[in-house]
Amino acid sequence: MTLNKRDAAVIWHPYTQHKTPDLPIAICSAKGAYIYDEKGQEYIDAIASWWVNIHGHSHPLIAERVYQQFQKLEHVMFAGFTHFPAIELAEKLLEKLPKNLGKIFYSDNGSTAVEVAIKMAIQYWYNKGITKTKIIAFKNGYHGDTFGAMSVSSRDNFTKPFIPFLFDVEFIDLPLKNKEAKSVKQLTELAESGNVAAFIFEPLVQGAAGMVMYSPSILEELLGICSKHNILTIADEVFTGFGRTGKFFAIDHLQKVVDIVCLSKGITAGALPLGVTACTNEIFNEFVSGDKAKTFFHGHSFTANPLACAAALANLELFENPIVFDDIKRIEKKHEQFIKSLHGFKKTIRELRKLGTILAIEISSDDETGYFNELKDYIYPFFIQRKIVIRPLGNIIYIVPPYCISDKDLDTIYSAIKECLTLLKNGTLKSNLQQQWVNG
């Protein structure tokens, strides 16, 4: 029996409607920008396996560092104990983060990093004896799948069954180009209530919403409003961190600083799960007290796992080589050149968006824009048939490749995108796929 049939008998996959007949592709190995299935077929990983494998798969330095760490210490509980990889990683992350941040709290993934941030912000005001209970977030945002993270995320089909159980959040419009004034007005009015504990946002790019982008200057203005009204600011850098936007962190595009930063995904370059929530010493100090009730009662069994910390340290070591940001700039330039070549698809493309290594193409569609647009049901298999892993967000094709990807592979991806756009333009994508299914 094949691996995917064995899988179908026992496994429940994330974000998957198992009513559909398609079996998952069984992957047996990966290297660099490629993954290999059980038949040995090679696929270009154009989205870095859900945005995590920033240096590519099976990087030898990361593997070696994890192996070395495993021989010393694979895990120890982090309450009452500490270890070198956690300390070293915290020191190195704080060197990269804005200088106002002073403490690192470890968790397991992006959702928990956000969960920690929300709890920190709420308890910070509680410990000070100040009543501030409201959180502000952008509409259509995505911050994770745990209950706190869902609460500050978009109220949509992803969260619909749980809405009665989510805490109230004040949502404001994303400050898109020529619509900034509305967002500023909404935030200002809410801030003036005096009851806002924190403002959480995905800096510059809303990832799961379709790689929707907004400018650093308007984010600066919103942060200024928060500072004026003593509102904590939380930057969810789970997707945008570690070079994705062309700088180490998306908040590096800003002059103003934030109070809390959430990190995950690229932090271990895809090797192991790890979450980080960085905060200011001012926040931390409100939890330091003779009153034990002011303790931050949050933790995970695998908090600061030494193997994950070792992988993250190797990731940071790789960034010390200038070639990484040279590759990021190379990908940026390739994206720019490709965008210029798409002038013949003006009616097919609703909008093109690019920042750093992120490229998004929103397809014109009469149906609902976003995740549930039926175009994804045709776009995804189109690329899989061409041995390219692209997971469209509804009618939005995007690529966020590993930085090691070659120009040749980028050209292969671009060529496939153009072919897909041509079929969409001619209204023949569905029939083309059906014919290919018939043929094999």
Side-chain angles (χ1 to χ4, degrees):
M1 187 183 295
T2 60
L3 287 177
N4 53 16
K5 288 183 179 178
R6 289 171 61 188
D7 172 285
V10 295
I11 291 179
W12 188 343
H13 284 265
Y15 294 97
T16 299
Q17 177 47 259
H18 285 272
K19 180 72 173 176
T20 59
D22 296 331
L23 291 172
I25 299 167
I27 299 302
C28 295
S29 63
K31 186 70 176 176
Y34 307 110
I35 58 177
Y36 300 89
D37 68 16
E38 60 183 326
K39 297 177 182 177
Q41 296 181 107
E42 178 183 271
Y43 300 77
I44 302 172
D45 188 352
I47 57 170
S49 286
W50 253 346
W51 324 339
V52 298
N53 289 87
I54 55 177
H55 301 296
H57 295 272
S58 304
H59 197 287
L61 177 69
I62 298 174
E64 178 61 27
R65 293 289 188 270
V66 172
Y67 172 69
Q68 290 172 356
Q69 183 58 46
F70 206 111
Q71 293 178 306
K72 300 174 188 175
L73 173 68
E74 87 297 345
H75 189 61
V76 66
M77 70 176 184
F78 210 57
F81 295 91
T82 192
H83 51 78
F84 175 81
I87 298 166
E88 183 84 351
L89 178 58
E91 290 172 345
K92 289 189 176 296
L93 284 173
L94 290 171
E95 288 174 2
K96 294 285 189 183
L97 287 160
K99 300 306 178 188
N100 67 313
L101 301 176
K103 286 291 188 292
I104 296 292
F105 191 97
Y106 290 109
S107 61
D108 301 330
N109 56 63
S111 294
T112 57
V114 168
E115 205 83 9
V116 167
I118 294 168
K119 290 177 70 174
M120 275 183 185
I122 292 171
Q123 191 176 343
Y124 168 78
W125 296 112
Y126 179 86
N127 283 1
K128 287 172 73 73
I130 297 173
T131 302
K132 285 197 171 193
T133 59
K134 285 293 182 183
I135 306 288
I136 299 174
F138 284 133
K139 294 176 183 177
N140 300 318
Y142 174 80
H143 297 281
D145 297 326
T146 51
F147 267 81
M150 282 195 296
S151 293
V152 296
S153 299
S154 177
R155 300 291 200 268
D156 54 22
N157 283 297
F158 282 41
T159 57
K160 192 173 183 179
F162 315 106
I163 289 175
F165 309 100
L166 304 180
F167 62 76
D168 289 336
V169 171
E170 299 288 353
F171 291 101
I172 65 172
D173 290 291
L174 195 71
L176 299 174
K177 189 176 182 180
N178 300 321
K179 297 180 180 179
E180 297 92 342
K182 185 177 181 181
S183 303
V184 171
K185 184 175 183 290
Q186 290 171 333
L187 181 61
T188 301
E189 289 176 353
L190 290 168
E192 288 173 348
S193 72
N195 189 32
V196 180
F199 169 44
I200 185 169
F201 56 92
E202 297 162 88
L204 308 187
V205 186
Q206 283 191 327
M211 304 299 163
V212 183
M213 302 175 185
Y214 61 104
S215 75
S217 60
I218 188 59
L219 181 55
E220 293 259 12
E221 187 172 349
L222 298 178
L223 293 178
I225 295 168
C226 291
S227 178
K228 178 182 176 182
H229 294 277
N230 209 17
I231 296 168
L232 295 179
T233 50
I234 304 170
D236 178 354
E237 289 257 13
V238 169
F239 167 52
T240 53
F242 302 96
R244 272 287 165 225
T245 66
K247 293 185 179 289
F248 204 87
F249 298 114
I251 52 176
D252 291 340
H253 291 272
L254 311 175
Q255 295 299 314
K256 293 186 183 299
V257 294
V258 298
D259 301 295
I260 301 175
V261 176
C262 306
L263 304 173
S264 190
K265 289 199 182 288
I267 194 169
T268 67
L272 287 164
L274 181 65
V276 157
T277 307
C279 71
T280 63
N281 283 317
E282 180 184 353
I283 291 173
F284 171 79
N285 289 338
E286 284 301 324
F287 293 80
V288 180
S289 172
D291 181 356
K292 290 184 179 179
K294 290 189 174 183
T295 302
F296 189 52
F297 293 107
H298 190 104
H300 300 264
S301 299
F302 288 94
T303 294
N305 174 258
L307 302 178
C309 290
L313 283 166
N315 175 33
L316 293 179
E317 187 177 338
L318 289 170
F319 271 101
E320 292 174 8
N321 189 333
I323 194 172
V324 175
F325 269 95
D326 288 345
D327 280 334
I328 289 170
K329 291 174 183 174
R330 172 179 59 83
I331 295 167
E332 285 186 75
K333 289 179 181 177
K334 289 286 290 183
H335 285 350
E336 289 167 3
Q337 292 167 0
F338 175 59
I339 287 171
K340 291 176 182 177
S341 74
L342 296 176
H343 54 82
F345 298 99
K346 289 183 179 179
K347 290 184 179 180
T348 309
I349 297 173
R350 179 177 294 162
E351 187 175 52
L352 287 163
R353 299 187 282 272
K354 186 196 78 69
L355 180 63
T357 64
I358 307 163
L359 172 65
I361 302 169
E362 184 172 337
I363 309 300
S364 297
S365 174
D366 295 330
D367 297 327
E368 175 188 359
T369 295
Y371 191 84
F372 289 97
N373 189 292
E374 69 167 6
L375 281 177
K376 73 183 178 72
D377 297 331
Y378 305 108
I379 294 172
Y380 176 75
F382 170 87
F383 285 98
I384 286 296
Q385 286 179 354
R386 284 148 186 80
K387 302 297 181 287
I388 299 170
V389 180
I390 282 180
R391 188 178 173 88
L393 295 163
N395 62 318
I396 297 159
I397 299 172
Y398 74 90
I399 60 173
V400 284
Y403 306 147
C404 64
I405 194 167
S406 68
D407 286 350
K408 180 182 177 182
D409 286 336
L410 283 172
D411 288 337
T412 298
I413 295 166
Y414 297 150
S415 178
I417 291 174
K418 276 190 172 181
E419 184 185 356
C420 183
L421 291 173
T422 299
L423 292 171
L424 285 164
K425 181 179 179 181
N426 297 334
T428 56
L429 177 62
K430 185 176 180 179
S431 60
N432 179 270
L433 278 170
Q434 290 171 337
Q435 185 60 47
Q436 290 189 48
W437 288 329
V438 169
N439 293 339

